[in-house]
Amino acid sequence: MTTQSYAANTSTVNASAVNTDSDIQNQAEHSVLSQADTTTLASDAHSQSSSAQNSMANSSPEQVQQWVYTVQDKRQSDQVRANALRQLAPYPSQNSLVAVVRGLQDDSEAVREAAVIAAEPYQFTNRWRMLEPLLTDPNQQVRVTATTNLIRDFGNMSPKQQHTIESAYQELVVFLSAQANVKDHIQEDIQEDIEESTSENVQLNLKSALLLADVYRWHQEWDKAQSLYETLLKANPKNAQVWLSVADNLRAQGKDEQALVALDKAIVLQPNESNLYYSQALTLVRLEQKAKAADAIEIAANMAQTNSYFWYLNGVLQEPLDIDKSVKSFEQAYLISGAPEQLYAVCDIYVRTANDKTEQCLDELGKIAPDYVIAQLKAKIGDVK
């Protein structure tokens, strides 16, 4: 494991030190849209981000390994193996990757689709290599799930990759348009359709239409995305996830001031939604308003309470303003997650502030980190002195 896997530029507070794309928090929200069952979608951004950041505390390594075995046990039913793959999604590892790769090649379409979802945490280069063959899978649900997984990285694709995914993208748009009752892709029809639908169908329409708008955004069709977001906000102005997507759509176009205005409006409507403050903090970082960004992420961390990533970012943003608050935030992040990279962040801030608990922290980190990582941290002690 490299030093970079533990370090996270905790001493530098700028747009490069903090990933300012709130889509990171929202990716699992749109991992798949099932024709038969939309319950695989997270109900809101808060539940998604909390589960994504705290999953390490929820399942033991033994349980994760059991899911790995279950996926590859052909004696189990397709449904049981597919469910095991879905459970593996928050736990990327070498063993999990083996299970995912084998799942992607399985004869069962349900298992292949679940494997696409389980591939979510891996780097785009690896996901493209694994999922690109499924863009032409015999089963439509597998195809659209694979396309949804990959299309959010459209801006990072090579021209060849963009060309390869284009047909699959068009199929996904048609599929989602039908799901959302967008007749002939005319977005103005959504409002009428929603009003005529039952309560259960409204949920389906909103989720499908939001995913369609996000797909437009990821495909860099900003105006189409914005038009659909605005239609959705007319139907449900308090939908925090739509506001978050609006902010990301503006961010992608370099319109950070407008994104901040949108988030301010959203916070008035939903003052208890932690992800709105998180997105606001990222926007303020990009606008070089770091003190205000620190205030926003502190609100998000206190509001979410158990979101370790929010506490970690609070540590990053508070460091130049209030070192005691920064240290406590890094400590809280590690207490919640137990993640090695967050233990590294604690030790790093201890070293740089000559904290009395530095040696104890390094001893704990030394149980899981390579020797050279500890040596590099110890070298900083001399620099501090």
Side-chain angles (χ1 to χ4, degrees):
M1 188 176 294
T2 64
T3 304
Q4 287 75 15
S5 66
Y6 290 91
N9 295 325
T10 57
S11 61
T12 306
V13 183
N14 54 40
S16 62
V18 179
N19 190 318
T20 56
D21 184 354
S22 62
D23 263 347
I24 299 298
Q25 290 291 311
N26 303 328
Q27 284 181 356
E29 176 76 14
H30 298 318
S31 60
V32 64
L33 182 69
S34 171
Q35 282 179 294
D37 182 7
T38 59
T39 59
T40 56
L41 289 168
S43 60
D44 55 44
H46 174 75
S47 63
Q48 185 277 317
S49 61
S50 297
S51 63
Q53 295 302 327
N54 301 312
S55 59
M56 292 301 293
N58 294 334
S59 297
S60 67
E62 292 78 15
Q63 176 62 75
V64 174
Q65 192 59 37
Q66 182 58 53
W67 287 326
V68 169
Y69 288 137
T70 299
V71 170
Q72 301 172 80
D73 184 358
K74 292 297 185 72
R75 295 171 299 179
Q76 303 294 330
S77 69
D78 293 345
Q79 190 59 43
V80 167
R81 291 190 296 126
N83 183 64
L85 276 164
R86 290 174 186 271
Q87 297 297 329
L88 280 177
Y91 303 94
S93 68
Q94 189 60 42
N95 288 340
S96 296
L97 181 59
V98 171
V100 169
V101 170
R102 291 180 177 175
L104 292 170
Q105 300 169 351
D106 200 89
D107 292 337
S108 166
E109 58 198 41
V111 172
R112 293 198 303 277
E113 182 190 358
V116 173
I117 298 169
E120 182 63 42
Y122 299 96
Q123 294 293 323
F124 169 67
T125 301
N126 295 328
R127 282 190 292 113
W128 177 268
R129 186 168 57 251
M130 291 189 293
L131 301 184
E132 187 267 336
L134 276 69
L135 296 177
T136 55
D137 192 272
N139 179 266
Q140 184 188 43
Q141 188 60 44
V142 175
R143 292 196 303 272
V144 299
T145 304
T147 306
T148 303
N149 184 301
L150 293 172
I151 197 65
R152 63 175 53 88
D153 288 291
F154 184 80
N156 298 322
M157 294 180 186
S158 67
K160 182 178 179 181
Q161 289 172 326
Q162 291 180 346
H163 177 75
T164 298
I165 205 172
E166 190 61 27
S167 294
Y169 163 75
Q170 295 298 337
E171 180 185 31
L172 177 60
V173 168
V174 171
F175 177 84
L176 291 174
S177 297
Q179 290 282 298
N181 290 331
V182 183
K183 302 168 185 175
D184 298 324
H185 310 278
I186 300 176
Q187 296 163 358
E188 289 79 359
D189 289 339
I190 294 179
Q191 180 66 47
E192 179 181 351
D193 290 328
I194 288 176
E195 291 173 352
E196 294 176 353
S197 298
T198 64
S199 176
E200 182 177 354
N201 286 334
V202 167
Q203 285 246 312
L204 174 62
N205 286 335
L206 288 174
K207 288 179 179 178
S208 303
L210 176 54
L211 179 51
L212 176 60
D214 285 344
V215 166
Y216 284 143
R217 170 166 59 90
W218 295 325
H219 197 250
Q220 301 179 356
E221 297 181 80
W222 320 121
D223 291 343
K224 282 186 177 180
Q226 187 65 28
S227 178
L228 192 43
Y229 290 140
E230 289 174 1
T231 299
L232 289 169
L233 286 175
K234 288 178 182 178
N236 189 351
K238 292 187 177 182
N239 189 310
Q241 185 57 61
V242 179
W243 282 109
L244 289 166
S245 290
V246 167
D248 278 334
N249 194 48
L250 294 167
R251 171 202 57 78
Q253 300 172 74
K255 300 178 179 179
D256 289 314
E257 292 283 2
Q258 294 181 40
L260 185 60
V261 170
L263 289 166
D264 288 344
K265 291 179 181 178
I267 287 171
V268 170
L269 294 168
Q270 287 283 27
N272 297 318
E273 175 50 64
S274 62
N275 284 280
L276 292 172
Y277 294 96
Y278 162 78
S279 186
Q280 184 186 56
L282 301 188
T283 304
L284 289 164
V285 167
R286 293 193 298 271
L287 291 170
E288 298 294 325
Q289 299 181 36
K290 296 170 185 174
K292 290 183 178 180
D295 289 341
I297 196 61
E298 184 175 16
I299 293 172
N302 282 304
M303 193 171 289
Q305 295 187 343
T306 58
N307 188 311
S308 64
Y309 186 59
F310 288 0
W311 284 109
Y312 168 79
L313 287 182
N314 195 47
V316 173
L317 292 173
Q318 296 294 343
E319 183 174 347
L321 305 172
D322 188 329
I323 193 64
D324 289 338
K325 187 179 290 186
S326 174
V327 170
K328 290 177 181 177
S329 294
F330 284 125
E331 291 173 338
Q332 183 67 13
Y334 176 62
L335 286 173
I336 292 170
S337 72
E341 61 271 18
Q342 291 182 348
L343 176 57
Y344 177 96
V346 173
C347 294
D348 182 62
I349 194 71
Y350 281 178
V351 166
R352 289 186 288 106
T353 57
N355 191 288
D356 291 340
K357 295 181 283 187
T358 298
E359 289 299 330
Q360 179 183 352
C361 187
L362 291 175
D363 288 344
E364 188 66 24
L365 183 62
K367 297 175 183 178
I368 54 176
D371 291 341
Y372 69 85
V373 171
I374 305 302
Q376 289 175 356
L377 283 173
K378 287 184 175 180
K380 291 183 182 181
I381 296 176
D383 295 338
V384 172
K385 293 178 179 180

